[in-house]
């Protein structure tokens, strides 16, 4: 008899509720869960493909160990013994910083990894921590932290009540939204227009999102900081600023007004490719709208002025009075109790930056990590402190980081490498030990990161749908076994004690917290109260119980626990976003820091760039509904249809560059070159070409199986690893100068 099961899709930030029909271990069908209060039945092709991912024969189910130069199946014990034997001598001889770690994007989509990867990083005790955040959203997190006090205090467009939405560098109709968890984006976007609102899209491509908007303007890649500064300029120049009640909680308004003064619409128009009168009108409409939000994503983060651009979006929210306003940009109140719900409401420690710097190029750490673009140089530059061993966790840096040819050479030169991955990839093929994770249907799921970025407050939990195969470890268990090795306990330990320690660390932090519902209570009692749960479920239950909606271990009996979520398979709806200023702030000053020095000191660089020569042809990326960064190109459901890994070019550029009518073209940048299939379209701005990232699978030694489009072309061969946003260390992936010639 088929059974019905419910589960949150872990494949992107939209976090749709899925409804499964299963028979034994087999998934019969996947649909959108109509009763999910958030996603209301929506799903995309990837959600359906989770069934193929679960059953995929190429997905790893046993560890791999390099023997005689070849990765071969091994037992778990053999895999951890190899880590013990190979890693400890490297640490003994070269120190802890000789071992690095790279955490990839699915780390935040996999609850076990989100909760336990920090234990791995702590146990490694290395400064060489890298993540996909610095090829992604680090600028937004840094700007948010400097303005509001924590890196996840991100102001989210309140799309369900918004009347005016300005979207820059995001294509949620393909990506399903990012740093803005908003399932069924198409319907929610329609909602803005149906309530009489307006949607304006600024993008070098006329994307699906642009076509669904009221207005679209091409912008020259990398010039959003100029454009946004000009909006701020107009609002001040025309006296349209209305910070209202926010003014009492804001520092630096006058400084921002002065900083924006040179960026008149006339001065930036040529560089942005948007005329001055249009910039003026966009500014006025934004300022006068009843409830407005500015949403910038990948296109505004992965550029030279990513932090300044991300900051300016929130500056606009503040000066137009839209921050913390219904229908403007608001803060979530996540059930699991992140940093901006802890401690003293309204004031905090803010952020400390640059506590140490990277060995080779001296890049400052941000939130404890170095820019991912520094990974290769830390491996391939000789000298004391050189990286000799590397852990990759749910990441494919060989395809996702700039100058990937250099990085792959560096990976090949490591003394020892361990990859936690569910496939043998362009990255994990270089490892000495590969540790597989489970199918997403075999482990529990709760969106810790994305419930903090959601357009509504919700708590939804999915228990494992299927038991894991006999003897296979969930990734938190693998991590604890590595932690045991690193702590000198050896490869053969029962990890229960370590898991208790992870839980106790969390509990003790909370019991010592003055404003916690369990302040002063005995940590051992709390641990006992969580029994018999263990692993991620225990940590989750604890976080929910001590969070802002939690039952507080008796303090608020009607509050949330994991058990309550288990009784509500469609999730618990905690309502629309609520105003949180000033309580949400955790800056040192207790104010919104509108002009934080680490950002304002970058403004002269922006001004200088405004007058510099602009490259004539630049490369950007793009996303497609049927992709997920560098993986899932091997699943039959996502492989068919129109080719996606193409170089999109305006027909006029085709003529100008002499490649019109050709099927392929050669693309060359400072660091590399590729030959890519051509696609002509007038939906891209002249002077801009677009090639998606995450492809280039046709290389030896991987185990993806059959990939779409012959594996496609790797665009990160072209991205320059010396180009970055200085404050955040984020890579520049948009606006790479290139030359295109006949292949
Ligand atoms: N040029 C260019 N480059 C880009 C981007 C761009 O727009 N342009 N985008 C950037 C962005 S936004 C991101 S987030 C990064 C992504 O960069 P990465 O995180 O480095 O790469 P992914 O392609 O997400 O690879 C994820 C890997 O995790 C594995 N995996 C999936 N699920 C699990 C799991 O549950 N456990 C484990 N252990 N492994 C799992 C997959 O098999 C895959 O190998 O790429 C960045 N790179
Ligand atoms: N189907 C699918 N969904 C995904 C992913 C995927 O690979 N496939 N990846 C996931 C991940 S990791 C992330 S981070 C999100 C990203 O989510 P989004 O940010 O929505 O990603 P994109 O669809 O790449 O949209 C970025 C847009 O920025 C535009 N752009 C490029 N350069 C500039 C510029 O300089 N200025 C402006 N204004 N625009 C510019 C591009 O033309 C593109 O339309 O998507 C997530 N969702
Ligand atoms: S939109 Fe994202 S969360 Fe929803 S079904 Fe598709 S991949 Fe899953
Ligand atoms: Mo991302």
């Amino acid at each position: 008899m088929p059974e019905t099961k419910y589960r949150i899709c872990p494949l992107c930030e939209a976090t749709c509720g899925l409804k499964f029909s299963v028979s034994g271990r087999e998934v019969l069908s996947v649909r959108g869960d109509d009763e999910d209060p958030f996603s209301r039945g929506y799903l995309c092709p990837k959600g359906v493909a989770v069934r193929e991912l679960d059953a995929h024969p190429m997905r790893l189910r046993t560890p791999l160990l390099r023997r005689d130069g070849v990765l071969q199946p091994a037992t778990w014990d053999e895999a951890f013994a190899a880590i013990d034997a190979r890693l400890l001598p490297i640490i003994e001889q070269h120190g802890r910083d000789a071992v690095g770690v790279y955490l990839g994007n699915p780390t935040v989509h996999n609850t076990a990894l989100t909760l336990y990867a920090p234990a791995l990083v702590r146990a490694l005790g290395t400064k060489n921590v890298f993540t996909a955040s610095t090829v992604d959203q680090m600028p937004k997190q840094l700007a948010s932290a400097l303005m509001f006090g924590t890196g996840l205090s991100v102001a989210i467009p309140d799309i369900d009540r918004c009347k005016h939405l300005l979207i820059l560098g995001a294509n949620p109709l393909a990506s399903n939204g990012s740093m803005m968890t908003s399932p069924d984006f198409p319907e929610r976007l329609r909602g803005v227009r149906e309530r009489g609102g307006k949607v304006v899209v600024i993008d070098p491509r006329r994307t699906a999102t642009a076509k669904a908007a009221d207005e679209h303007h091409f912008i020259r890649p990398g010039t959003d900081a100029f454009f946004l500064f000009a909006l701020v300029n107009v609002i001040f120049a025309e006296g349209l600023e209305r910070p209202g009640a926010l003014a009492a909680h804001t520092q630096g308004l006058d400084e921002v007004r002065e900083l924006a003064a040179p960026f008149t619409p006339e001065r930036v128009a040529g560089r942005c490719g948007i005329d001055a009168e249009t910039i003026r009108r966009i500014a006025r409409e934004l300022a006068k709208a009843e409830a407005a939000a500015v949403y910038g994503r990948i296109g505004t983060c992965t550029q030279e002025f990513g932090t300044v651009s991300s900051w300016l979006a929130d500056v606009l929210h503040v000066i137009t009075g839209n921050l913390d306003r219904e229908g403007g940009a608001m803060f979530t109140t996540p059930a699991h109790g992140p940093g901006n719900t802890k401690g003293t409401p309204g004031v905090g420690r803010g952020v400390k930056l640059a506590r140490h710097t990277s060995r080779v190029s001296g890049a400052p750490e941000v939130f404890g990590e170095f820019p991912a673009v520094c990974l290769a140089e830390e491996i391939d530059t000789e000298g004391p402190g050189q990286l000799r061993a590397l852990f990759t966790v749910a990441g494919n840096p060989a395809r996702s980081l700039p100058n990937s040819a250099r990085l792959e050479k560096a990976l090949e030169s490591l003394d020892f490498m361990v990859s936690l991955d569910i496939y043998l990839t362009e990255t994990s093929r270089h490892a000495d030990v590969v540790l597989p994770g489970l199918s997403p249907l075999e482990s529990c799921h709760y969106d810790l990161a994305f419930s903090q970025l959601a357009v509504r407050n919700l708590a939804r939990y999915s228990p494992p749908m299927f038991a894991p195969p006999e003897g296979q470890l969930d990734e938190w268990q693998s991590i604890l076994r590595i932690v045991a090795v690193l702590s000198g306990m050896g490869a053969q330990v029962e990890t229960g004690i370590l898991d208790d320690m992870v839980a106790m660390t969390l509990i003790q932090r909370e019991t010592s917290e003055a404003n916690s519902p369990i302040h002063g209570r005995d940590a051992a009692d709390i641990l006992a109260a969580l029994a018999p749960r263990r692993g991620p479920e225990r940590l989750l239950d604890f976080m929910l119980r001590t969070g802002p909606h939690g039952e507080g271990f008796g303090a608020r009996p009607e509050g949330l626990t994991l058990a309550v979520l288990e009784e509500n398979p469609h999730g618990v709806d905690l309502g629309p976003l609520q105003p949180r200023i000033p309580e949400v702030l955790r800056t040192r000053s207790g104010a919104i820091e509108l002009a934080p020095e680490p950002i304002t000191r970058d403004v002269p660089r922006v001004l200088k760039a405004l007058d510099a020569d602009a490259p004539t042809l630049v490369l950007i990326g793009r996303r497609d509904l049927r992709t997920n960064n560098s993986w899932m190109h091997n699943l039959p459901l996502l492989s068919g249809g129109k080719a996606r890994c193409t170089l999109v070019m305006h027909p006029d550029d085709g003529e100008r560059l002499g490649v019109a009518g050709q099927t392929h073209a050669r693309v060359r940048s400072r660091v590399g070159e590729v030959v890519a299939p051509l696609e002509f379209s007038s939906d891209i701005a002249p002077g801009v070409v677009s090639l998606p990232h995450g492809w280039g699978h046709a290389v030896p030694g991987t185990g993806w199986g059959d990939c779409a489009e012959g594996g496609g072309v790797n665009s990160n061969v072209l991205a320059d690893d010396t180009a970055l946003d200085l404050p955040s260390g984020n890579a520049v992936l948009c606006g790479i100068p290139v030359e295109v010639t006949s292949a």
Side-chain angles (χ1 to χ4, degrees):
M1 265 300 278
E3 268 184 281
T4 302
K5 304 222 177 190
Y6 300 95
R7 211 175 161 72
I8 302 303
C9 177
L11 295 172
C12 90
E13 299 181 39
T15 72
C16 301
L18 303 180
K19 179 178 179 177
F20 291 81
S21 173
V22 305
S23 170
R25 181 59 185 77
E26 195 192 352
V27 176
L28 304 174
S29 70
V30 186
R31 295 198 165 75
D33 174 10
D34 293 325
E35 292 169 80
D36 185 292
F38 201 22
S39 61
R40 306 175 295 210
Y42 179 79
L43 87 174
C44 84
K46 278 189 292 186
V48 183
V50 76
R51 175 182 172 207
E52 293 181 346
L53 173 62
D54 174 59
H56 201 234
M58 305 306 286
R59 190 169 55 75
L60 297 175
R61 286 158 176 89
T62 128
L64 303 176
L65 179 58
R66 192 171 297 279
R67 293 188 176 106
D68 306 321
V70 184
L71 279 169
Q72 295 173 3
T75 65
W76 290 91
D77 285 343
E78 287 170 334
F80 294 112
I83 297 175
D84 196 18
R86 301 278 303 280
L87 191 64
L88 293 191
I90 294 174
I91 295 176
E92 247 159 59
Q93 201 187 334
H94 303 286
R96 296 213 160 250
D97 289 336
V99 186
V101 59
Y102 172 83
L103 306 176
N105 168 279
T107 308
V108 280
H109 291 274
N110 174 318
T111 307
L113 287 177
T114 308
L115 289 168
Y116 286 83
L120 173 65
V121 173
R122 267 197 309 275
L124 284 169
T126 175
K127 288 197 196 73
N128 283 309
V129 179
F130 306 88
T131 82
S133 291
T134 52
V135 278
D136 191 344
Q137 82 293 349
M138 192 57 109
K140 186 73 200 174
Q141 284 194 265
L142 176 60
S144 301
L146 291 166
M147 297 176 81
F148 310 123
T150 88
L152 275 162
S153 298
V154 175
I156 309 296
D158 183 19
I159 190 169
D160 292 342
R161 294 177 287 191
C162 182
K163 298 289 283 285
H164 188 102
L165 187 58
L166 174 62
I167 301 178
L168 307 99
N171 184 13
L173 263 51
S175 68
N176 277 299
S178 176
M179 301 301 278
M180 178 178 176
T181 286
S182 175
D184 197 356
F185 217 111
E187 184 56 36
R188 290 188 139 95
L189 200 62
R190 219 170 290 134
V192 178
R193 302 182 64 191
E194 277 169 8
R195 73 182 77 96
K198 182 166 185 179
V199 179
V200 179
V201 172
I202 307 291
D203 195 302
R205 259 181 73 227
R206 195 176 296 111
T207 60
T209 306
K211 287 173 185 168
D214 295 275
E215 206 173 296
H216 164 250
H217 302 278
F218 286 138
I219 187 171
R220 285 295 298 165
T223 64
D224 297 78
F226 311 145
F227 171 75
L228 291 166
F229 250 137
L231 298 186
V232 175
N233 175 293
V234 173
I235 288 171
F236 279 122
E238 301 191 359
L240 298 171
E241 73 275 20
R242 301 266 183 285
L246 293 167
H249 303 288
T250 304
Q251 288 187 352
L253 266 166
D254 291 336
E255 198 177 331
V256 167
R257 176 200 304 266
E258 272 165 42
L259 288 169
F263 296 90
T264 59
E266 285 68 21
R267 184 144 176 220
V268 307
R271 278 291 264 119
C272 297
I274 304 177
D275 66 76
E277 211 31 59
T278 301
I279 295 176
R280 278 218 161 75
R281 180 176 56 76
I282 291 173
R284 289 177 194 139
E285 288 178 0
L286 181 76
K288 291 177 182 167
E290 210 177 296
V294 181
Y295 172 57
R297 201 43 288 267
I298 275 289
T300 57
C301 280
T302 55
Q303 53 160 282
E304 193 183 354
F305 302 114
T307 301
V308 169
S309 300
S310 300
W311 161 70
L312 287 169
D314 282 320
V315 165
L316 284 165
H317 290 143
V318 172
I319 65 174
T320 58
N322 278 299
L323 186 75
D324 207 40
R325 173 201 275 180
E326 284 184 12
M330 303 187 78
F331 298 98
T332 56
T333 314
H336 67 278
N340 68 26
T341 65
K342 303 282 180 195
T344 311
V347 66
R349 259 169 287 166
V351 268
K352 279 216 177 68
L353 298 170
R355 290 163 297 181
H356 47 265
T357 51
S358 72
R359 176 181 68 103
V360 179
S361 57
E365 63 78 31
V366 177
F367 304 137
E369 54 185 271
F370 290 135
V373 290
C374 297
L375 177 56
E377 68 186 19
E378 290 298 328
I379 301 171
D380 67 20
T381 310
E382 284 178 21
Q386 183 181 4
L387 263 190
R388 291 162 197 275
L390 182 71
F391 282 82
T392 67
V393 180
N396 192 4
R399 287 298 168 272
S400 52
L401 300 191
N403 200 350
S404 52
R406 175 181 181 185
L407 180 67
E408 276 210 76
K409 229 185 259 161
L411 294 179
E412 199 45 49
S413 74
L414 286 164
D415 291 346
F416 187 59
M417 177 171 160
V418 180
S419 288
L420 276 65
D421 206 288
I422 56 174
Y423 283 100
L424 193 52
T425 71
E426 296 76 14
T427 296
S428 59
R429 70 182 171 136
H430 298 289
D432 298 286
V433 179
V434 183
L435 300 170
L438 300 176
S439 154
L441 306 183
E442 291 165 349
S443 48
C444 72
H445 188 78
Y446 184 97
D447 282 298
L448 290 158
F450 307 118
S451 59
Q452 299 181 56
L453 302 169
V455 298
R456 202 175 168 83
N457 290 317
L458 280 105
R460 295 174 303 164
Y461 171 72
S462 312
M465 213 161 95
F466 300 128
E470 184 64 29
Q472 197 176 325
L473 302 188
D474 198 339
E475 297 196 80
W476 64 274
Q477 296 166 309
S478 291
I479 286 181
L480 290 181
R481 294 219 25 200
I482 300 167
V483 170
V485 166
L486 288 163
S487 337
M489 294 161 75
Q492 295 277 355
V493 292
E494 208 285 294
T495 51
I497 298 175
L498 285 171
D499 189 34
D500 287 345
M501 281 164 63
V502 170
M504 274 305 257
T505 309
L506 214 62
I507 296 171
Q508 280 163 347
R509 199 184 303 151
E510 189 72 30
T511 52
S512 63
E513 177 87 57
N515 291 304
S516 166
I518 60 167
H519 173 70
R521 295 204 26 201
D522 182 23
D525 288 350
I526 301 290
L527 189 72
L530 292 162
R533 296 192 195 272
R534 309 195 63 86
E537 285 95 339
R538 173 165 62 182
L539 303 183
L540 264 178
D541 190 26
F542 175 73
M543 293 162 89
L544 290 167
R545 286 163 84 165
T546 50
H549 307 275
E551 66 82 56
F553 289 88
R556 291 180 296 253
E558 69 298 340
L560 280 185
T561 62
L562 190 56
V564 170
L565 298 190
E566 283 167 334
E567 286 156 19
N568 290 277
H570 310 288
V572 172
D573 185 5
L574 300 165
L577 304 184
Q578 300 294 327
R580 286 196 61 191
I581 283 183
E583 159 275 318
V584 71
L585 301 171
R586 291 294 183 278
T587 49
R588 276 175 176 276
S589 61
I592 299 165
E593 303 267 0
L594 206 60
E597 195 273 337
I599 297 178
T600 56
R601 74 161 169 251
D602 207 32
V603 174
R605 207 170 59 98
V606 181
L607 203 52
K608 200 165 154 214
L610 180 55
D611 299 324
D613 287 340
T616 51
L617 187 66
V618 293
L619 176 72
I620 61 170
R622 69 181 188 275
R623 281 169 168 78
D624 179 275
L625 260 188
R626 292 163 299 148
T627 64
N628 194 4
N629 294 329
S630 75
W631 60 296
M632 297 184 82
H633 298 147
N634 55 352
L635 300 178
L637 249 177
L638 305 177
S639 295
K642 184 172 172 273
R644 292 150 284 174
C645 190
T646 57
L647 184 79
V648 173
M649 178 186 282
H650 194 279
D652 294 351
D653 282 334
E655 295 291 339
R656 186 171 62 87
L657 300 164
V659 295
Q662 303 198 1
T663 60
H664 287 72
R666 186 176 306 278
V667 192
R668 197 176 291 124
S669 74
R670 191 191 71 86
V671 297
E673 67 171 65
V674 300
V675 172
L678 273 170
E679 181 182 340
F680 294 102
S681 166
S682 45
D683 282 338
I684 194 160
V688 182
V689 288
S690 162
L691 184 65
H693 77 285
W695 294 82
H697 301 302
V699 292
T702 60
W704 290 116
D706 290 332
C707 285
E709 294 159 51
V713 178
N714 173 13
S715 74
N716 274 321
V717 165
L718 301 168
D720 192 331
D721 53 342
T722 60
L724 45 88
D725 170 54
L726 280 184
S728 69
N730 207 80
V732 174
L733 305 169
C734 296
I736 302 156
V738 288
E739 280 169 30
V740 173
T741 53
S742 175

